[in-house]
Amino acid sequence: MERVKMAEESLETAAEHERILREIESTDTACIGPTLRSVYDGEEHGRFMEKLETRIRNHDREIEKMCNFHYQGFVDSITELLKVRGEAQKLKNQVTDTNRKLQHEGKELVIAMEELKQCRLQQRNISATVDKLMLCLPVLEMYSKLRDQMKTKRHYPALKTLEHLEHTYLPQVSHYRFCKVMVDNIPKLREEIKDVSMSDLKDFLESIRKHSDKIGETAMKQAQQQRNLDNIVLQQPRLGSKRKSKKDVYTIFDTEVESTSPKSEQDSGILDVEDEEDDEEVPGAQDLVDFSPVYRCLHIYSVLGARETFENYYRKQRRKQARLVLQPPSNMHETLDGYRKYFNQIVGFFVVEDHILHTTQGLVNRAYIDELWEMALSKTIAALRTHSSYCSDPNLVLDLKNLIVLFADTLQVYGFPVNQLFDMLLEIRDQYSETLLKKWAGVFRNILDSDNYSPIPVTSEETYKKVVGQFPFQDTELEKCTERGAAPFTTASAFPRLNWGHHLHFSSTEVDDMIRKSTNLLLTRTLSNSLQNVIKRKNIGLTELVQIIINTTHLEKSCKYLEEFITNITNVLPETVHTTKLYGTTTFKDARHAAEEEIYTNLNQKIDQFLQLADYDWMTGELDNKASDYLVDLIAFLRSTFAVFTHLPGKVAQTACMSACKHLATSLMQLLLEAEVRQLTLGALQQFNLDVRECEQFARSGPVPGFQEDTLQLAFIDLRQLLDLFIQWDWSTYLADYGQPNCKYLRVNPVTALTLLEKMKDTSRKNNMFAQFRKNERDKQKLIDTVAKQLRGLISSHHS
């Protein structure tokens, strides 16, 4: 079995080796590697090598047989080739000999032909040169023309010449070296033209930057001229209107105190065109600035295909200039000229841009202009808010308002939206109101401080008319005052003129609302505070307070004229819906009430000052039979004071008189019951009774008319009943009737009576050490003790 198996393997190996040999014989040498690798991968490579050697020997024998078969033919071919070589050598010698003879015979002909060739070549070169020169001459002429145009700064014609030279002439002679030099120089020439035109543009930009102020001033003059013409047209139909008929009535509300009146811009001549210039046409931006450098440069860059570059550069530079123009000077708020110059520069900038927009095709567009305007508007408003906040002069703020309105109107003519500027004016209006209120607070303070608080003397009808012309109030009482020689009110009455709504293009309702609100602020805050400060002054006298009440009374009555004046200005009736109510009446009422309260307080303080002079001897047993000196002086002071109250409203004088009497009665009661007075005698009580009688006599005399019968005496009723009880020693009646509605001593409080009785009891005990040995004294002391006990009983029962 093993032999059979080995035999089978030998056969398989032999077959494999035979296949590999066939592959080696038929396969390309470069691809034999994998075949040989399969031999070495097996274990029979020795036997394969034997087969390979055998195959090689077989091929060698086949090659040798083939060579032996063709050898005789090869020998015959070599023999014939040797014969041909000899014949070829002979032929070569013959050709060489023939050539030598030919060369010798044609030598002269060759020389002649060479000469002819050179002549024809020269002739051809001359002709070609003439032709080329004819082509080059126009090129050279054009180039010379180009250089001349460059020298004379005719850049746009030079650019056209350069275009013809490059596209028409140079292509015909482009292979010449000088033309190549020209071609290479053309970009440089273009750049030179661009640089020169750009230099002109830069000079133009610098020029308009310097002239923006003048351009803007001219544009604003044009706008103001137009506005003046419009005003004249609007005012002509109103000549002779009914409004003049009320001139005398409203003089005070249309004029100001001379020394303190704010002047409007219209008065101060802002941007006013002189009379001799009114009939002349104000030049426009195109008359002040030469725009040709912009047009030239734009055209040149457009031809050179760099229009976008030029547009970007122009817009970039103008944006930079805009930022410079919009940067306000640090001291702009100090004078109106600072604001005017700032506005002139802005207007000048946008007038130039508007002209460029309408005279060039696409150099600037509406979107670009709108973007610049938005930036300018925001920066201008921010600058105005900042700088106007530093201004404390209402005249300057008002002039600034008028200048802003003219600024806005000018730009609006050129199509720029200016609503935000008018909105900002509302903010500045509030600031103007504040500065004006501060100024008028000082004016009111000066007026009130300088007022002598006495009626205006009127000695003639002319003086009377002058006074009435300054104060719009007329009634019969005032007519009577002129006969007596004095008007009841003083010079402390004047109002400022409100000019803010002028030229703001507001509706009549808006103007009416603005005037009314400003007037309310002036009345309720500024004037009211000024009056309150005067009323609360420490050194204010009763005479001054009385005159303040008289003044505020007349001012309150004159508020209807203020209402009519505002209606006359705005043509908006007070009854119109949403019309702001004036608070003038309330303001003057409050001031009058404060003055009245101050009169009451002042009177009480004066009474207290007199009472501090009281010097009672509470232990005296003697009676002077006359009132105390301090009280006599106090009564005299009250009489003279109430005599001044003749011009006061009746209720004010009556209230003041009643308040003074009540305070005097209360103070006298406190003086009698104060803790420092520990003892008092019946004599001291009788002297005190004389003083109270003096007060009652004053009350009966009617120091102020209008009281009914003994109304004023009721202020002293508590004192009167208390003193009568003690002086008459009518304790039986008091104790018997106490608590009954019609009792004689209804106003006597048992606590008060007990306090005063205790002071008298202590006096009885300490004045006489032998009182206990006297029967009358002992009986009196017992009576006092009995009464005191009964009073305590009343008090205890009342509390329970």
Side-chain angles (χ1 to χ4, degrees):
M1 289 299 291
E2 291 181 359
R3 288 180 180 179
V4 174
K5 187 176 182 180
M6 290 177 63
E8 290 177 355
E9 291 178 356
S10 297
L11 289 174
E12 291 176 2
T13 302
E16 179 67 20
H17 288 173
E18 187 63 28
R19 185 187 65 77
I20 292 173
L21 287 174
R22 285 197 301 271
E23 285 187 9
I24 291 173
E25 289 173 349
S26 61
T27 304
D28 189 10
T29 307
C31 301
I32 202 171
T35 305
L36 294 176
R37 183 174 182 82
S38 65
V39 174
Y40 285 98
D41 288 343
E43 297 179 357
E44 300 295 334
H45 57 276
R47 293 179 61 184
F48 175 76
M49 291 302 294
E50 291 176 1
K51 281 186 174 289
L52 182 61
E53 290 293 337
T54 302
R55 182 64 63 90
I56 291 172
R57 284 194 298 272
N58 290 336
H59 282 297
D60 287 342
R61 283 195 296 271
E62 290 177 3
I63 292 172
E64 185 176 357
K65 287 179 182 181
M66 188 177 290
C67 288
N68 289 335
F69 178 75
H70 293 287
Y71 179 74
Q72 186 58 43
F74 174 72
V75 171
D76 294 339
S77 297
I78 293 301
T79 303
E80 291 178 3
L81 187 60
L82 289 175
K83 291 178 180 180
V84 171
R85 186 177 65 178
E87 294 296 329
Q89 185 63 40
K90 290 179 182 180
L91 181 59
K92 178 182 180 183
N93 292 334
Q94 290 176 0
V95 170
T96 303
D97 185 55
T98 302
N99 181 58
R100 184 173 61 252
K101 289 180 181 180
L102 181 62
Q103 291 292 334
H104 178 71
E105 293 297 333
K107 185 175 182 181
E108 293 180 2
L109 179 62
V110 169
I111 293 173
M113 291 299 293
E114 187 65 31
E115 291 176 355
L116 178 61
K117 177 183 175 183
Q118 290 295 327
C119 287
R120 289 184 175 177
L121 180 61
Q122 289 176 358
Q123 184 182 7
R124 187 168 63 250
N125 287 343
I126 290 172
S127 178
T129 301
V130 171
D131 293 340
K132 297 301 180 184
L133 284 175
M134 292 302 293
L135 289 175
C136 290
L137 281 176
V139 176
L140 295 174
E141 289 175 356
M142 291 295 288
Y143 191 78
S144 176
K145 180 181 178 182
L146 174 65
R147 300 307 301 181
D148 290 341
Q149 290 171 338
M150 294 286 289
K151 286 181 181 178
T152 56
K153 295 185 177 181
R154 298 167 57 208
H155 300 111
Y156 182 68
L159 191 60
K160 287 293 184 182
T161 302
L162 186 62
E163 292 294 320
H164 286 297
L165 183 64
E166 181 181 18
H167 297 294
T168 304
Y169 295 97
L170 284 178
Q172 300 176 6
V173 291
S174 58
H175 54 281
Y176 294 112
R177 188 168 58 187
F178 81 91
C179 292
K180 292 182 179 179
V181 173
M182 287 185 182
V183 170
D184 294 340
N185 201 32
I186 283 176
K188 297 179 181 178
L189 291 173
R190 281 201 179 95
E191 288 300 322
E192 183 179 349
I193 292 173
K194 286 174 65 176
D195 292 343
V196 173
S197 62
M198 183 58 71
S199 176
D200 292 343
L201 175 67
K202 290 179 180 178
D203 293 340
F204 167 79
L205 293 175
E206 181 65 22
S207 174
I208 61 173
R209 188 184 69 81
K210 292 179 179 178
H211 290 88
S212 288
D213 188 8
K214 183 64 176 177
I215 297 170
E217 180 182 0
T218 302
M220 293 179 76
K221 281 183 179 180
Q222 289 176 325
Q224 182 156 345
Q225 279 184 341
Q226 185 60 45
R227 190 169 71 182
N228 292 341
L229 290 174
D230 294 342
N231 288 339
I232 292 172
V233 172
L234 290 173
Q235 289 173 4
Q236 279 179 348
R238 298 182 182 178
L239 294 177
S241 65
K242 295 181 179 180
R243 192 174 296 181
K244 277 190 173 183
S245 63
K246 297 185 180 180
K247 179 177 178 182
D248 294 336
V249 179
Y250 298 115
T251 300
I252 180 62
F253 298 111
D254 197 31
T255 56
E256 300 171 292
V257 179
E258 282 190 31
S259 61
T260 58
S261 60
K263 293 182 179 179
S264 67
E265 180 183 339
Q266 189 175 3
D267 299 327
S268 59
I270 292 180
L271 290 176
D272 281 344
V273 182
E274 298 179 359
D275 294 340
E276 60 269 22
E277 295 180 352
D278 285 345
D279 298 331
E280 298 179 3
E281 183 179 355
V282 179
Q286 66 276 10
D287 302 318
L288 297 174
V289 179
D290 179 16
F291 289 92
S292 58
V294 180
Y295 306 144
R296 270 199 312 270
C297 195
L298 174 61
H299 211 72
I300 288 171
Y301 271 73
S302 298
V303 172
L304 294 177
R307 180 186 177 96
E308 185 177 355
T309 302
F310 174 75
E311 290 178 359
N312 292 336
Y313 176 80
Y314 177 84
R315 295 181 184 185
K316 180 180 179 181
Q317 294 302 314
R318 290 296 280 166
R319 279 194 183 94
K320 289 182 179 178
Q321 288 188 352
R323 292 188 180 93
L324 291 176
V325 166
L326 295 171
Q327 186 66 33
S330 58
N331 61 340
M332 183 175 73
H333 60 277
E334 295 178 357
T335 62
L336 191 65
D337 287 337
Y339 290 105
R340 183 185 291 111
K341 185 175 181 181
Y342 180 62
F343 288 147
N344 287 346
Q345 289 178 345
I346 296 174
V347 171
F349 177 90
F350 283 100
V351 167
V352 169
E353 289 306 290
D354 182 76
H355 186 78
I356 292 293
L357 173 67
H358 291 91
T359 55
T360 60
Q361 296 180 349
L363 177 56
V364 295
N365 53 33
R366 177 52 62 183
Y368 161 79
I369 295 291
D370 291 343
E371 178 189 352
L372 279 182
W373 176 240
E374 286 297 326
M375 177 186 71
L377 199 58
S378 61
K379 289 184 176 292
T380 302
I381 290 175
L384 289 175
R385 281 175 178 157
T386 301
H387 285 270
S388 63
S389 64
Y390 299 143
C391 184
S392 57
D393 182 7
N395 296 349
L396 181 58
V397 177
L398 184 60
D399 289 346
L400 173 60
K401 182 273 298 184
N402 292 327
L403 189 58
I404 292 174
V405 172
L406 183 58
F407 170 70
D409 288 347
T410 304
L411 288 169
Q412 196 171 30
V413 171
Y414 290 90
F416 295 100
V418 294
N419 291 335
Q420 293 185 43
L421 285 172
F422 287 108
D423 292 341
M424 186 207 58
L425 282 175
L426 298 179
E427 301 177 19
I428 298 182
R429 180 195 67 186
D430 296 336
Q431 180 191 345
Y432 169 72
S433 298
E434 289 298 324
T435 55
L436 192 62
L437 290 175
K438 288 180 182 178
K439 176 173 182 176
W440 277 92
V443 173
F444 289 143
R445 185 169 56 252
N446 293 335
I447 291 174
L448 294 172
D449 289 344
S450 61
D451 191 15
N452 57 9
Y453 295 97
S454 59
I456 300 175
V458 178
T459 57
S460 64
E461 184 177 356
E462 181 181 355
T463 306
Y464 167 74
K465 289 181 179 180
K466 183 178 179 181
V467 171
V468 173
Q470 292 179 345
F471 191 84
F473 182 74
Q474 297 175 343
D475 65 2
T476 55
E477 293 296 326
L478 191 58
E479 297 289 344
K480 294 177 181 178
C481 287
T482 61
E483 296 175 3
R484 294 197 299 268
F489 45 79
T490 65
T491 58
S493 54
F495 287 95
R497 185 174 58 198
L498 302 173
N499 296 318
W500 187 263
H502 193 51
H503 294 315
L504 281 184
H505 315 297
F506 287 163
S507 67
S508 57
T509 305
E510 290 174 319
V511 173
D512 182 80
D513 183 69
M514 180 175 64
I515 293 177
R516 287 175 180 274
K517 287 182 178 179
S518 299
T519 305
N520 281 337
L521 278 177
L522 182 70
L523 294 173
T524 59
R525 197 171 77 184
T526 306
L527 181 56
S528 177
N529 289 343
S530 299
L531 289 172
Q532 293 292 342
N533 290 336
V534 171
I535 292 170
K536 298 298 181 182
R537 278 194 310 213
K538 291 184 178 180
N539 59 344
I540 189 73
L542 288 171
T543 305
E544 288 87 344
L545 290 171
V546 169
Q547 193 60 57
I548 288 174
I549 292 175
I550 296 171
N551 289 349
T552 52
T553 301
H554 285 284
L555 286 171
E556 180 185 346
K557 293 179 180 179
S558 69
C559 285
K560 62 180 181 180
Y561 297 103
L562 178 60
E563 187 84 53
E564 292 177 8
F565 174 70
I566 296 176
T567 301
N568 188 267
I569 292 176
T570 63
N571 294 322
V572 177
L573 297 176
E575 298 80 13
T576 305
V577 180
H578 304 307
T579 300
T580 303
K581 180 183 178 182
L582 286 181
Y583 297 125
T585 303
T586 305
T587 298
F588 296 125
K589 278 184 179 178
D590 293 343
R592 186 172 70 253
H593 291 160
E596 292 171 3
E597 292 296 329
E598 194 65 25
I599 283 180
Y600 307 152
T601 304
N602 198 310
L603 269 176
N604 293 343
Q605 290 175 350
K606 289 291 185 180
I607 291 172
D608 291 339
Q609 291 175 6
F610 278 102
L611 288 175
Q612 289 176 1
L613 301 176
D615 186 18
Y616 287 103
D617 183 4
W618 299 109
M619 302 301 296
T620 184
E622 300 177 358
L623 188 63
D624 290 341
N625 294 322
K626 66 176 182 177
S628 302
D629 293 339
Y630 86 91
L631 192 67
V632 173
D633 295 339
L634 172 57
I635 297 301
F637 164 75
L638 291 176
R639 290 185 186 279
S640 62
T641 299
F642 291 135
V644 180
F645 287 7
T646 53
H647 294 295
L648 282 178
K651 290 184 179 180
V652 177
Q654 293 169 15
T655 304
C657 187
M658 177 60 75
S659 172
C661 291
K662 284 184 177 181
H663 183 74
L664 177 58
T666 303
S667 299
L668 288 174
M669 180 69 79
Q670 291 175 352
L671 187 64
L672 186 63
L673 299 177
E674 65 182 2
E676 294 180 0
V677 181
R678 297 185 179 183
Q679 303 172 15
L680 58 82
T681 63
L682 184 60
L685 205 58
Q686 290 173 342
Q687 180 62 44
F688 191 81
N689 184 49
L690 289 176
D691 292 345
V692 174
R693 288 186 181 279
E694 186 70 21
C695 294
E696 291 172 331
Q697 178 61 34
F698 167 73
R700 281 193 299 272
S701 66
V704 172
F707 286 108
Q708 296 180 358
E709 298 179 356
D710 296 334
T711 303
L712 196 58
Q713 285 182 263
L714 294 177
F716 301 96
I717 189 65
D718 291 1
L719 273 174
R720 170 50 46 216
Q721 291 185 6
L722 179 65
L723 292 175
D724 286 348
L725 175 61
F726 275 84
I727 293 174
Q728 297 175 12
W729 207 250
D730 193 10
W731 292 105
S732 59
T733 304
Y734 175 75
L735 294 174
D737 296 343
Y738 181 78
Q740 297 181 8
N742 298 322
C743 65
K744 182 178 179 180
Y745 303 103
L746 179 65
R747 308 286 298 182
V748 178
N749 190 305
V751 177
T752 304
L754 179 61
T755 302
L756 191 58
L757 190 61
E758 292 289 343
K759 296 177 184 289
M760 295 185 68
K761 181 173 66 173
D762 292 341
T763 305
S764 300
R765 289 177 178 176
K766 296 178 181 179
N767 277 352
N768 192 347
M769 60 179 297
F770 300 104
Q772 55 181 330
F773 300 110
R774 299 177 184 174
K775 186 176 184 300
N776 291 337
E777 292 296 335
R778 286 198 306 271
D779 293 342
K780 184 178 180 180
Q781 188 60 44
K782 288 180 181 179
L783 180 58
I784 291 175
D785 291 338
T786 302
V787 172
K789 184 177 180 181
Q790 291 177 341
L791 288 174
R792 290 190 187 95
L794 286 177
I795 295 172
S796 299
S797 62
H798 176 72
H799 286 297
S800 62

